[in-house]
Amino acid sequence: MVKRKWLAGLLSILLVASLALAGCGSTENAQQPGNQSSGGDAKPSEPQVLNLNINSEPPSLLPTKATDSTSGLVLIHVMEGLTRLGEDGEPKPGIAEKWDISDDGLTYTFHLRKDAKWSDGQPVTAHDFEYAWKKLLDPNSAADYAYQLYYLKNGQKYNEGKAKADDVGVKALDDHTLQVTLEKPTPYFLSLTAFYALFPIPKHVDEKNPNWHKEASTYVSNGPFVLAEWVHDSKIVLKKNPNYWAANEVKLEQINMAMVNDENTEYQMFETGQLDVASPPTDLTKQLIDEGKAKVSPYFGTYYLVFNTKDKILSNAKIRKALALAIDRKLLVENVLQGGQVPALGFVPPGAPGVQDDFRKEQGDLFKDNDVETAKKLLQEGLQELGLKKLPPIEYKFNTNQGHQKIAEAIQQMWKQNLGIEVKLSNEEWKVYLDSIDQGKFQVGRMGWIGDYIDAMTFMDLFVTGGGNNYPKWSNKKYDELIEKAKSSNDQAERTKAMQEAEKILIDEMPIVPIYFYTRVYMEKPYVKGAVRNVIMETDYSRAWIEGKQ
Protein backbone atom coordinates (compact mmCIF):
# COMPACT_ATOMS: atom_id res chain seq x y z
CA MET A 1 0.00 0.00 0.00
CA VAL A 2 1.05 -0.05 -0.46
CA LYS A 3 -2.01 -0.23 -2.48
CA ARG A 4 -0.07 -0.23 0.62
CA LYS A 5 0.03 -0.52 -2.32
CA TRP A 6 1.77 1.80 -0.99
CA LEU A 7 -0.18 1.50 -3.54
CA ALA A 8 -0.33 1.86 -3.08
CA GLY A 9 0.30 2.34 -3.15
CA LEU A 10 1.01 3.94 -1.90
CA LEU A 11 0.36 5.82 -3.62
CA SER A 12 -0.96 8.97 -2.69
CA ILE A 13 0.12 8.97 0.85
CA LEU A 14 3.10 7.15 0.05
CA LEU A 15 3.67 9.62 -2.45
CA VAL A 16 2.88 12.13 -0.22
CA ALA A 17 5.31 10.62 1.96
CA SER A 18 7.96 9.97 -0.46
CA LEU A 19 7.61 12.23 -3.28
CA ALA A 20 6.97 15.00 -1.38
CA LEU A 21 9.27 12.95 -0.01
CA ALA A 22 8.24 10.61 2.51
CA GLY A 23 10.07 9.73 5.53
CA CYS A 24 9.51 8.75 8.96
CA GLY A 25 10.67 9.79 12.11
CA SER A 26 10.93 9.51 15.70
CA THR A 27 8.18 7.75 17.47
CA GLU A 28 9.47 8.64 20.82
CA ASN A 29 7.06 7.78 23.58
CA ALA A 30 4.99 5.85 21.10
CA GLN A 31 2.78 3.30 22.73
CA GLN A 32 2.57 -0.19 21.30
CA PRO A 33 -0.90 -1.16 20.15
CA GLY A 34 -2.46 -3.58 22.54
CA ASN A 35 -0.56 -2.21 25.48
CA GLN A 36 -1.72 0.23 28.05
CA SER A 37 -0.81 3.82 27.29
CA SER A 38 0.40 6.27 29.84
CA GLY A 39 -1.30 8.98 27.86
CA GLY A 40 1.74 11.14 28.32
CA ASP A 41 1.54 14.28 30.41
CA ALA A 42 -0.99 16.03 28.25
CA LYS A 43 -2.78 18.74 30.12
CA PRO A 44 -6.42 17.82 30.68
CA SER A 45 -7.44 21.18 29.31
CA GLU A 46 -5.36 20.82 26.15
CA PRO A 47 -7.55 20.14 23.10
CA GLN A 48 -6.80 16.67 21.81
CA VAL A 49 -7.32 17.48 18.13
CA LEU A 50 -4.92 16.45 15.35
CA ASN A 51 -4.91 18.08 11.92
CA LEU A 52 -3.36 16.32 8.95
CA ASN A 53 -3.69 16.12 5.17
CA ILE A 54 -4.63 13.05 3.12
CA ASN A 55 -4.35 14.94 -0.19
CA SER A 56 -7.39 13.48 -1.93
CA GLU A 57 -10.69 11.67 -1.61
CA PRO A 58 -10.14 8.04 -0.47
CA PRO A 59 -11.35 5.82 -3.34
CA SER A 60 -13.10 3.39 -0.98
CA LEU A 61 -13.58 2.85 2.76
CA LEU A 62 -14.94 -0.66 2.32
CA PRO A 63 -12.09 -2.92 3.48
CA THR A 64 -12.68 -5.47 0.73
CA LYS A 65 -12.50 -2.81 -2.01
CA ALA A 66 -9.78 -0.45 -0.73
CA THR A 67 -6.45 -0.84 -2.50
CA ASP A 68 -4.53 2.36 -1.81
CA SER A 69 -2.74 4.11 1.01
CA THR A 70 -5.12 7.07 1.22
CA SER A 71 -8.01 4.73 1.94
CA GLY A 72 -5.72 2.64 4.11
CA LEU A 73 -4.77 5.59 6.31
CA VAL A 74 -8.42 6.29 7.10
CA LEU A 75 -9.25 2.62 7.54
CA ILE A 76 -6.55 1.86 10.13
CA HIS A 77 -8.08 4.54 12.33
CA VAL A 78 -11.75 3.62 12.00
CA MET A 79 -11.35 -0.16 11.75
CA GLU A 80 -9.24 -2.82 13.40
CA GLY A 81 -8.31 -6.34 12.35
CA LEU A 82 -7.39 -9.37 14.38
CA THR A 83 -3.99 -7.77 14.98
CA ARG A 84 -2.50 -4.27 14.75
CA LEU A 85 1.13 -3.62 13.77
CA GLY A 86 3.43 -2.05 16.34
CA GLU A 87 6.33 0.30 15.81
CA ASP A 88 8.58 -2.71 15.17
CA GLY A 89 6.31 -3.84 12.33
CA GLU A 90 5.29 -6.94 14.27
CA PRO A 91 1.62 -7.90 14.86
CA LYS A 92 0.20 -7.12 18.30
CA PRO A 93 -3.20 -8.14 19.69
CA GLY A 94 -6.04 -6.24 18.08
CA ILE A 95 -9.60 -7.55 18.08
CA ALA A 96 -8.00 -10.92 18.80
CA GLU A 97 -6.56 -10.88 22.31
CA LYS A 98 -4.60 -14.08 21.68
CA TRP A 99 -4.19 -16.90 19.18
CA ASP A 100 -2.96 -20.47 18.89
CA ILE A 101 -0.97 -21.88 15.97
CA SER A 102 -0.88 -25.62 15.33
CA ASP A 103 2.48 -27.38 15.29
CA ASP A 104 2.28 -27.87 11.53
CA GLY A 105 1.61 -24.13 10.99
CA LEU A 106 -1.63 -24.81 9.13
CA THR A 107 -4.30 -23.95 11.68
CA TYR A 108 -4.69 -20.60 13.44
CA THR A 109 -7.27 -20.24 16.20
CA PHE A 110 -8.00 -16.62 17.10
CA HIS A 111 -9.70 -15.77 20.38
CA LEU A 112 -11.61 -12.49 20.02
CA ARG A 113 -12.13 -9.96 22.79
CA LYS A 114 -15.56 -10.26 24.35
CA ASP A 115 -15.69 -6.48 24.87
CA ALA A 116 -15.07 -5.61 21.19
CA LYS A 117 -18.01 -3.63 19.77
CA TRP A 118 -19.03 -1.91 16.60
CA SER A 119 -19.69 1.80 16.80
CA ASP A 120 -23.45 1.09 16.86
CA GLY A 121 -22.99 -0.92 20.04
CA GLN A 122 -23.33 -4.38 18.48
CA PRO A 123 -20.61 -6.93 19.36
CA VAL A 124 -17.77 -7.63 16.93
CA THR A 125 -17.87 -11.37 16.39
CA ALA A 126 -15.92 -14.07 14.60
CA HIS A 127 -18.85 -14.23 12.19
CA ASP A 128 -18.02 -10.67 11.02
CA PHE A 129 -14.51 -11.80 10.06
CA GLU A 130 -15.73 -14.96 8.33
CA TYR A 131 -18.27 -12.87 6.43
CA ALA A 132 -15.69 -10.25 5.37
CA TRP A 133 -13.05 -12.73 4.27
CA LYS A 134 -15.50 -14.75 2.18
CA LYS A 135 -16.80 -11.50 0.71
CA LEU A 136 -13.22 -10.60 -0.29
CA LEU A 137 -12.89 -13.98 -2.02
CA ASP A 138 -16.36 -13.99 -3.58
CA PRO A 139 -15.90 -13.92 -7.38
CA ASN A 140 -18.81 -11.49 -7.58
CA SER A 141 -16.86 -8.97 -5.46
CA ALA A 142 -14.08 -8.78 -8.08
CA ALA A 143 -11.78 -7.60 -5.29
CA ASP A 144 -8.23 -6.73 -6.35
CA TYR A 145 -6.91 -8.02 -3.04
CA ALA A 146 -8.68 -11.40 -3.16
CA TYR A 147 -5.32 -13.07 -3.73
CA GLN A 148 -4.23 -12.10 -0.22
CA LEU A 149 -6.55 -14.84 1.02
CA TYR A 150 -5.37 -17.49 -1.42
CA TYR A 151 -3.36 -18.72 1.56
CA LEU A 152 -6.60 -20.05 3.04
CA LYS A 153 -7.58 -23.60 2.23
CA ASN A 154 -9.66 -23.48 -0.96
CA GLY A 155 -9.40 -19.68 -1.00
CA GLN A 156 -8.16 -19.50 -4.57
CA LYS A 157 -10.52 -22.23 -5.75
CA TYR A 158 -13.51 -20.33 -4.34
CA ASN A 159 -12.34 -17.09 -5.95
CA GLU A 160 -12.01 -18.90 -9.28
CA GLY A 161 -15.43 -20.53 -8.99
CA LYS A 162 -14.02 -24.02 -8.40
CA ALA A 163 -15.18 -24.42 -4.78
CA LYS A 164 -18.01 -23.26 -2.53
CA ALA A 165 -17.86 -20.64 0.19
CA ASP A 166 -18.36 -23.37 2.79
CA ASP A 167 -15.16 -25.05 1.58
CA VAL A 168 -12.98 -22.01 2.45
CA GLY A 169 -10.67 -22.40 5.44
CA VAL A 170 -12.18 -19.78 7.71
CA LYS A 171 -14.92 -20.60 10.20
CA ALA A 172 -16.46 -18.94 13.24
CA LEU A 173 -16.55 -21.72 15.84
CA ASP A 174 -18.60 -19.42 18.05
CA ASP A 175 -18.97 -15.65 18.48
CA HIS A 176 -15.48 -15.26 19.88
CA THR A 177 -13.43 -18.00 18.21
CA LEU A 178 -12.25 -17.87 14.60
CA GLN A 179 -10.52 -20.88 13.11
CA VAL A 180 -8.38 -20.42 10.01
CA THR A 181 -6.96 -23.29 7.97
CA LEU A 182 -4.18 -22.58 5.48
CA GLU A 183 -3.21 -24.42 2.33
CA LYS A 184 0.42 -24.33 3.39
CA PRO A 185 2.42 -22.84 6.26
CA THR A 186 2.77 -19.10 5.59
CA PRO A 187 5.37 -17.33 7.74
CA TYR A 188 3.84 -13.86 7.31
CA PHE A 189 0.17 -14.79 7.64
CA LEU A 190 -0.17 -13.29 11.12
CA SER A 191 1.11 -9.93 9.83
CA LEU A 192 -1.47 -10.07 7.05
CA THR A 193 -4.27 -10.09 9.63
CA ALA A 194 -3.36 -6.47 10.44
CA PHE A 195 -3.78 -5.43 6.80
CA TYR A 196 -6.92 -3.46 5.99
CA ALA A 197 -8.13 -5.87 3.30
CA LEU A 198 -8.61 -8.43 6.08
CA PHE A 199 -10.53 -6.13 8.42
CA PRO A 200 -13.99 -7.30 9.50
CA ILE A 201 -17.23 -6.01 8.02
CA PRO A 202 -20.35 -5.47 10.16
CA LYS A 203 -22.42 -8.36 8.81
CA HIS A 204 -25.63 -7.07 10.40
CA VAL A 205 -25.20 -3.73 8.58
CA ASP A 206 -23.83 -4.90 5.23
CA GLU A 207 -26.67 -7.38 4.67
CA LYS A 208 -29.29 -4.64 5.12
CA ASN A 209 -27.50 -1.77 3.37
CA PRO A 210 -24.66 -2.65 0.94
CA ASN A 211 -23.87 1.08 0.55
CA TRP A 212 -23.30 1.71 4.27
CA HIS A 213 -19.61 2.48 3.67
CA LYS A 214 -20.17 5.42 1.29
CA GLU A 215 -21.35 8.06 3.77
CA ALA A 216 -20.42 9.02 7.31
CA SER A 217 -24.07 8.87 8.43
CA THR A 218 -24.26 5.12 7.74
CA TYR A 219 -20.65 4.12 8.40
CA VAL A 220 -20.23 1.57 11.22
CA SER A 221 -16.72 0.87 12.46
CA ASN A 222 -14.88 -1.05 15.19
CA GLY A 223 -11.63 0.93 15.47
CA PRO A 224 -10.30 3.70 17.70
CA PHE A 225 -12.30 6.39 15.85
CA VAL A 226 -15.64 6.77 14.11
CA LEU A 227 -16.28 8.48 10.80
CA ALA A 228 -18.07 11.56 12.13
CA GLU A 229 -18.06 13.64 8.95
CA TRP A 230 -17.18 12.97 5.31
CA VAL A 231 -17.48 15.90 2.94
CA HIS A 232 -16.49 14.26 -0.30
CA ASP A 233 -13.44 15.75 -2.04
CA SER A 234 -13.09 18.20 0.85
CA LYS A 235 -12.46 16.69 4.30
CA ILE A 236 -12.98 13.83 6.74
CA VAL A 237 -13.48 14.23 10.49
CA LEU A 238 -12.84 11.32 12.84
CA LYS A 239 -13.96 11.32 16.46
CA LYS A 240 -12.98 9.02 19.29
CA ASN A 241 -15.03 5.83 19.37
CA PRO A 242 -16.41 5.33 22.91
CA ASN A 243 -17.27 1.72 22.00
CA TYR A 244 -13.68 0.81 21.07
CA TRP A 245 -12.37 -1.96 23.33
CA ALA A 246 -9.29 0.13 24.25
CA ALA A 247 -10.97 3.54 24.33
CA ASN A 248 -9.03 4.32 27.50
CA GLU A 249 -5.81 4.20 25.44
CA VAL A 250 -7.07 6.68 22.84
CA LYS A 251 -6.21 10.24 23.87
CA LEU A 252 -7.10 12.16 20.72
CA GLU A 253 -10.71 13.29 20.67
CA GLN A 254 -10.69 14.25 17.00
CA ILE A 255 -8.64 13.91 13.82
CA ASN A 256 -9.29 16.36 11.00
CA MET A 257 -8.21 15.07 7.58
CA ALA A 258 -7.93 17.73 4.90
CA MET A 259 -7.87 16.89 1.18
CA VAL A 260 -5.41 19.42 -0.17
CA ASN A 261 -3.53 18.23 -3.25
CA ASP A 262 -1.17 21.19 -3.66
CA GLU A 263 2.11 20.68 -1.84
CA ASN A 264 2.83 24.39 -1.47
CA THR A 265 -0.60 25.00 0.03
CA GLU A 266 -0.05 22.05 2.36
CA TYR A 267 3.28 23.50 3.45
CA GLN A 268 1.76 26.92 4.15
CA MET A 269 -1.01 25.27 6.17
CA PHE A 270 1.66 23.53 8.24
CA GLU A 271 3.63 26.74 8.72
CA THR A 272 0.54 28.64 9.83
CA GLY A 273 -0.59 25.92 12.24
CA GLN A 274 -3.57 24.68 10.25
CA LEU A 275 -1.86 21.29 9.94
CA ASP A 276 0.11 19.45 12.60
CA VAL A 277 1.61 16.89 10.21
CA ALA A 278 2.56 17.42 6.56
CA SER A 279 4.89 16.41 3.76
CA PRO A 280 7.45 18.99 2.64
CA PRO A 281 7.15 20.42 -0.87
CA THR A 282 9.52 18.81 -3.35
CA ASP A 283 11.54 21.97 -3.96
CA LEU A 284 12.19 22.50 -0.24
CA THR A 285 12.70 18.90 0.84
CA LYS A 286 16.50 18.94 1.08
CA GLN A 287 16.55 22.33 2.78
CA LEU A 288 13.97 21.29 5.36
CA ILE A 289 15.78 18.02 6.04
CA ASP A 290 19.10 19.86 6.43
CA GLU A 291 17.44 22.31 8.82
CA GLY A 292 15.99 19.47 10.86
CA LYS A 293 12.44 20.54 10.07
CA ALA A 294 11.68 17.41 8.04
CA LYS A 295 12.56 13.87 9.04
CA VAL A 296 13.47 10.84 6.95
CA SER A 297 13.17 7.16 7.70
CA PRO A 298 13.12 3.85 5.80
CA TYR A 299 10.00 2.78 3.99
CA PHE A 300 9.56 -0.72 2.55
CA GLY A 301 8.41 0.35 -0.89
CA THR A 302 9.27 0.90 -4.54
CA TYR A 303 8.25 3.69 -6.93
CA TYR A 304 7.93 2.34 -10.45
CA LEU A 305 6.48 2.84 -13.89
CA VAL A 306 3.93 0.49 -15.41
CA PHE A 307 3.89 -0.36 -19.11
CA ASN A 308 0.60 -1.46 -20.65
CA THR A 309 1.75 -4.68 -22.29
CA LYS A 310 -1.52 -4.84 -24.26
CA ASP A 311 -0.54 -1.65 -26.08
CA LYS A 312 0.77 -2.29 -29.62
CA ILE A 313 4.05 -0.44 -29.04
CA LEU A 314 4.66 -1.42 -25.43
CA SER A 315 3.93 -5.07 -26.04
CA ASN A 316 7.51 -5.20 -27.32
CA ALA A 317 9.90 -6.12 -24.51
CA LYS A 318 12.89 -4.45 -26.20
CA ILE A 319 11.05 -1.14 -26.43
CA ARG A 320 10.10 -1.41 -22.75
CA LYS A 321 13.65 -2.21 -21.73
CA ALA A 322 15.06 0.61 -23.86
CA LEU A 323 12.82 3.07 -22.02
CA ALA A 324 13.83 1.59 -18.67
CA LEU A 325 17.56 1.83 -19.35
CA ALA A 326 17.34 5.42 -20.62
CA ILE A 327 16.41 6.76 -17.17
CA ASP A 328 19.06 8.30 -14.89
CA ARG A 329 17.75 7.33 -11.47
CA LYS A 330 20.74 8.68 -9.58
CA LEU A 331 20.15 12.10 -11.06
CA LEU A 332 16.46 11.84 -10.28
CA VAL A 333 16.83 11.04 -6.57
CA GLU A 334 19.71 13.46 -6.01
CA ASN A 335 18.44 16.46 -7.99
CA VAL A 336 14.66 16.12 -8.04
CA LEU A 337 13.55 14.17 -4.98
CA GLN A 338 16.37 14.86 -2.52
CA GLY A 339 14.70 12.90 0.25
CA GLY A 340 17.23 10.11 0.73
CA GLN A 341 15.60 7.77 -1.82
CA VAL A 342 17.79 5.09 -3.42
CA PRO A 343 17.87 4.29 -7.17
CA ALA A 344 15.99 1.01 -7.70
CA LEU A 345 17.88 -1.46 -9.91
CA GLY A 346 15.63 -4.34 -8.87
CA PHE A 347 12.01 -4.44 -7.74
CA VAL A 348 12.14 -5.75 -4.17
CA PRO A 349 13.36 -3.00 -1.83
CA PRO A 350 15.90 -3.55 0.95
CA GLY A 351 14.41 -4.94 4.14
CA ALA A 352 13.08 -8.33 3.09
CA PRO A 353 14.76 -11.45 4.46
CA GLY A 354 16.83 -13.47 2.00
CA VAL A 355 18.51 -16.84 2.48
CA GLN A 356 20.93 -15.62 5.12
CA ASP A 357 20.95 -11.85 4.64
CA ASP A 358 18.84 -9.16 3.00
CA PHE A 359 16.99 -10.24 -0.18
CA ARG A 360 18.14 -7.17 -2.12
CA LYS A 361 21.75 -7.46 -0.95
CA GLU A 362 21.93 -11.12 -1.93
CA GLN A 363 20.28 -10.54 -5.32
CA GLY A 364 22.24 -7.38 -6.17
CA ASP A 365 21.46 -4.97 -9.00
CA LEU A 366 19.69 -6.52 -11.99
CA PHE A 367 20.41 -3.83 -14.55
CA LYS A 368 22.59 -0.78 -15.06
CA ASP A 369 21.29 2.69 -14.37
CA ASN A 370 21.31 5.22 -17.21
CA ASP A 371 22.65 2.68 -19.74
CA VAL A 372 21.93 4.87 -22.75
CA GLU A 373 24.02 3.00 -25.34
CA THR A 374 22.28 -0.31 -24.63
CA ALA A 375 18.94 1.52 -24.61
CA LYS A 376 19.57 2.92 -28.11
CA LYS A 377 20.50 -0.53 -29.40
CA LEU A 378 17.38 -2.14 -27.91
CA LEU A 379 15.17 0.64 -29.29
CA GLN A 380 16.38 0.02 -32.83
CA GLU A 381 15.91 -3.74 -32.46
CA GLY A 382 12.44 -3.21 -31.05
CA LEU A 383 11.46 -0.86 -33.87
CA GLN A 384 12.64 -3.41 -36.41
CA GLU A 385 10.53 -6.11 -34.78
CA LEU A 386 7.51 -3.81 -34.92
CA GLY A 387 8.20 -2.80 -38.52
CA LEU A 388 8.61 0.86 -37.57
CA LYS A 389 11.28 3.43 -38.41
CA LYS A 390 10.47 5.75 -35.53
CA LEU A 391 8.61 5.38 -32.27
CA PRO A 392 5.36 7.38 -32.30
CA PRO A 393 4.70 9.74 -29.34
CA ILE A 394 3.72 7.90 -26.18
CA GLU A 395 1.56 9.03 -23.25
CA TYR A 396 2.87 9.06 -19.66
CA LYS A 397 0.03 9.28 -17.17
CA PHE A 398 0.22 10.10 -13.43
CA ASN A 399 -2.15 11.07 -10.65
CA THR A 400 -2.32 14.78 -9.92
CA ASN A 401 0.52 15.66 -7.59
CA GLN A 402 3.41 18.08 -7.98
CA GLY A 403 5.96 15.49 -6.93
CA HIS A 404 4.77 13.02 -9.56
CA GLN A 405 4.74 15.79 -12.11
CA LYS A 406 8.36 16.69 -11.47
CA ILE A 407 9.38 13.05 -11.84
CA ALA A 408 7.36 12.72 -15.05
CA GLU A 409 8.92 15.87 -16.51
CA ALA A 410 12.42 14.66 -15.70
CA ILE A 411 11.81 11.26 -17.33
CA GLN A 412 10.14 12.94 -20.30
CA GLN A 413 13.30 14.98 -20.82
CA MET A 414 15.55 11.91 -20.43
CA TRP A 415 13.62 9.90 -23.03
CA LYS A 416 13.68 12.86 -25.42
CA GLN A 417 17.39 13.50 -24.97
CA ASN A 418 18.58 9.89 -24.87
CA LEU A 419 16.22 8.22 -27.36
CA GLY A 420 14.58 11.07 -29.29
CA ILE A 421 11.12 9.97 -28.13
CA GLU A 422 8.27 12.44 -27.78
CA VAL A 423 6.29 11.96 -24.57
CA LYS A 424 2.93 13.50 -23.76
CA LEU A 425 2.22 13.97 -20.06
CA SER A 426 -1.29 13.75 -18.63
CA ASN A 427 -2.67 13.62 -15.12
CA GLU A 428 -5.88 12.62 -13.38
CA GLU A 429 -7.30 12.83 -9.86
CA TRP A 430 -6.28 9.85 -7.72
CA LYS A 431 -9.53 7.88 -7.81
CA VAL A 432 -10.01 8.43 -11.54
CA TYR A 433 -6.37 7.60 -12.16
CA LEU A 434 -6.64 4.26 -10.33
CA ASP A 435 -9.67 3.35 -12.43
CA SER A 436 -7.80 4.25 -15.65
CA ILE A 437 -4.81 2.12 -14.72
CA ASP A 438 -7.02 -0.75 -13.62
CA GLN A 439 -8.96 -0.66 -16.89
CA GLY A 440 -5.83 -0.46 -19.05
CA LYS A 441 -6.54 3.08 -20.29
CA PHE A 442 -2.88 4.11 -20.41
CA GLN A 443 0.44 3.46 -22.13
CA VAL A 444 2.88 4.37 -19.35
CA GLY A 445 1.68 5.05 -15.80
CA ARG A 446 3.36 5.68 -12.50
CA MET A 447 2.75 3.54 -9.45
CA GLY A 448 4.19 2.84 -6.03
CA TRP A 449 3.96 -0.16 -3.78
CA ILE A 450 4.51 -0.45 -0.07
CA GLY A 451 4.80 -3.94 1.34
CA ASP A 452 1.73 -5.37 3.07
CA TYR A 453 4.08 -7.46 5.21
CA ILE A 454 7.85 -7.81 5.51
CA ASP A 455 8.63 -10.42 2.89
CA ALA A 456 9.64 -10.25 -0.76
CA MET A 457 6.44 -12.07 -1.69
CA THR A 458 4.39 -8.92 -1.08
CA PHE A 459 6.11 -7.49 -4.18
CA MET A 460 6.65 -10.61 -6.23
CA ASP A 461 3.10 -11.95 -6.34
CA LEU A 462 1.81 -8.66 -7.78
CA PHE A 463 2.55 -9.77 -11.32
CA VAL A 464 1.25 -13.32 -11.51
CA THR A 465 -1.08 -13.87 -14.46
CA GLY A 466 -4.50 -12.39 -13.73
CA GLY A 467 -3.42 -10.83 -10.42
CA GLY A 468 -5.69 -8.03 -9.16
CA ASN A 469 -2.81 -5.57 -8.96
CA ASN A 470 -1.08 -6.74 -12.14
CA TYR A 471 -1.65 -3.39 -13.87
CA PRO A 472 0.65 -4.10 -16.88
CA LYS A 473 -1.52 -7.19 -17.60
CA TRP A 474 1.71 -9.09 -18.06
CA SER A 475 1.88 -12.87 -18.13
CA ASN A 476 4.82 -15.24 -17.96
CA LYS A 477 4.32 -18.97 -17.33
CA LYS A 478 7.77 -19.53 -15.81
CA TYR A 479 7.29 -16.53 -13.50
CA ASP A 480 3.94 -17.91 -12.32
CA GLU A 481 5.52 -21.31 -11.66
CA LEU A 482 8.31 -19.78 -9.58
CA ILE A 483 5.91 -17.73 -7.47
CA GLU A 484 3.77 -20.80 -6.90
CA LYS A 485 6.90 -22.75 -5.96
CA ALA A 486 7.90 -20.06 -3.46
CA LYS A 487 4.42 -20.04 -1.94
CA SER A 488 4.41 -23.81 -1.70
CA SER A 489 7.61 -24.03 0.30
CA ASN A 490 8.27 -23.39 3.94
CA ASP A 491 12.01 -23.58 3.33
CA GLN A 492 13.38 -20.03 3.37
CA ALA A 493 16.30 -20.83 1.09
CA GLU A 494 14.13 -22.57 -1.49
CA ARG A 495 11.40 -19.91 -1.54
CA THR A 496 13.92 -17.05 -1.65
CA LYS A 497 15.81 -18.54 -4.56
CA ALA A 498 12.55 -19.05 -6.45
CA MET A 499 11.57 -15.39 -5.90
CA GLN A 500 15.03 -14.18 -6.90
CA GLU A 501 14.83 -16.15 -10.13
CA ALA A 502 11.36 -14.73 -10.74
CA GLU A 503 12.61 -11.18 -10.17
CA LYS A 504 15.26 -11.71 -12.86
CA ILE A 505 12.51 -12.72 -15.32
CA LEU A 506 10.47 -9.66 -14.35
CA ILE A 507 13.39 -7.31 -14.94
CA ASP A 508 14.42 -9.06 -18.15
CA GLU A 509 10.98 -8.45 -19.66
CA MET A 510 10.37 -5.08 -17.94
CA PRO A 511 6.56 -4.88 -17.77
CA ILE A 512 7.36 -2.44 -14.98
CA VAL A 513 10.31 -0.10 -14.47
CA PRO A 514 11.72 0.28 -10.95
CA ILE A 515 12.66 3.91 -10.33
CA TYR A 516 13.59 4.29 -6.67
CA PHE A 517 13.18 2.77 -3.24
CA TYR A 518 11.04 4.91 -0.99
CA THR A 519 11.86 6.78 2.14
CA ARG A 520 9.26 8.40 4.36
CA VAL A 521 9.70 12.16 4.64
CA TYR A 522 7.45 14.19 6.89
CA MET A 523 7.13 17.22 9.07
CA GLU A 524 5.43 17.00 12.44
CA LYS A 525 4.85 19.61 15.11
CA PRO A 526 6.80 18.88 18.30
CA TYR A 527 3.61 18.76 20.36
CA VAL A 528 2.39 15.69 18.46
CA LYS A 529 3.38 12.69 20.55
CA GLY A 530 3.04 8.96 20.21
CA ALA A 531 2.50 8.51 16.46
CA VAL A 532 3.58 5.04 15.35
CA ARG A 533 5.56 4.72 12.14
CA ASN A 534 6.96 1.42 10.96
CA VAL A 535 8.44 0.51 7.59
CA ILE A 536 5.25 -0.84 5.99
CA MET A 537 2.20 0.83 7.46
CA GLU A 538 0.59 4.23 7.13
CA THR A 539 1.27 6.35 10.21
CA ASP A 540 -0.88 5.16 13.11
CA TYR A 541 -2.20 7.99 15.31
CA SER A 542 -4.53 5.78 17.34
CA ARG A 543 -2.42 6.19 20.50
CA ALA A 544 -1.02 9.65 19.73
CA TRP A 545 -1.73 12.73 21.79
CA ILE A 546 -1.16 16.49 21.89
CA GLU A 547 1.19 17.78 24.57
CA GLY A 548 2.65 21.24 24.95
CA LYS A 549 0.79 23.01 22.15
CA GLN A 550 -0.55 25.68 24.46
Side-chain angles (χ1 to χ4, degrees), residues 109-112 114 124-130 171-179:
T109 304
F110 294 94
H111 304 278
L112 276 58
K114 295 182 179 178
V124 179
T125 72
H127 299 283
D128 293 317
F129 282 92
E130 179 182 348
K171 184 177 180 57
L173 300 183
D174 56 44
D175 283 354
H176 306 293
T177 310
L178 184 73
Q179 186 179 74

Side-chain angles (χ1 to χ4, degrees), residues 523-540:
M523 299 180 296
E524 185 174 83
K525 297 292 187 183
Y527 52 74
V528 178
K529 310 292 185 183
V532 171
R533 294 181 174 87
N534 58 50
V535 298
I536 59 174
M537 186 179 69
E538 294 79 13
T539 304
D540 184 353

Side-chain angles (χ1 to χ4, degrees), residues 253-271:
E253 294 292 336
Q254 182 169 318
I255 300 178
N256 298 320
M257 297 177 162
M259 299 180 193
V260 175
N261 203 18
D262 182 285
E263 59 183 33
N264 293 319
T265 301
E266 180 181 8
Y267 178 62
Q268 289 305 315
M269 291 175 71
F270 180 80
E271 288 291 285

Side-chain angles (χ1 to χ4, degrees), residues 43-65:
K43 300 174 184 177
S45 60
E46 200 160 19
Q48 293 298 306
V49 179
L50 180 70
N51 301 289
L52 52 85
N53 182 27
I54 60 173
N55 297 90
S56 62
E57 170 85 355
S60 178
L61 294 184
L62 180 64
T64 53
K65 297 299 289 184

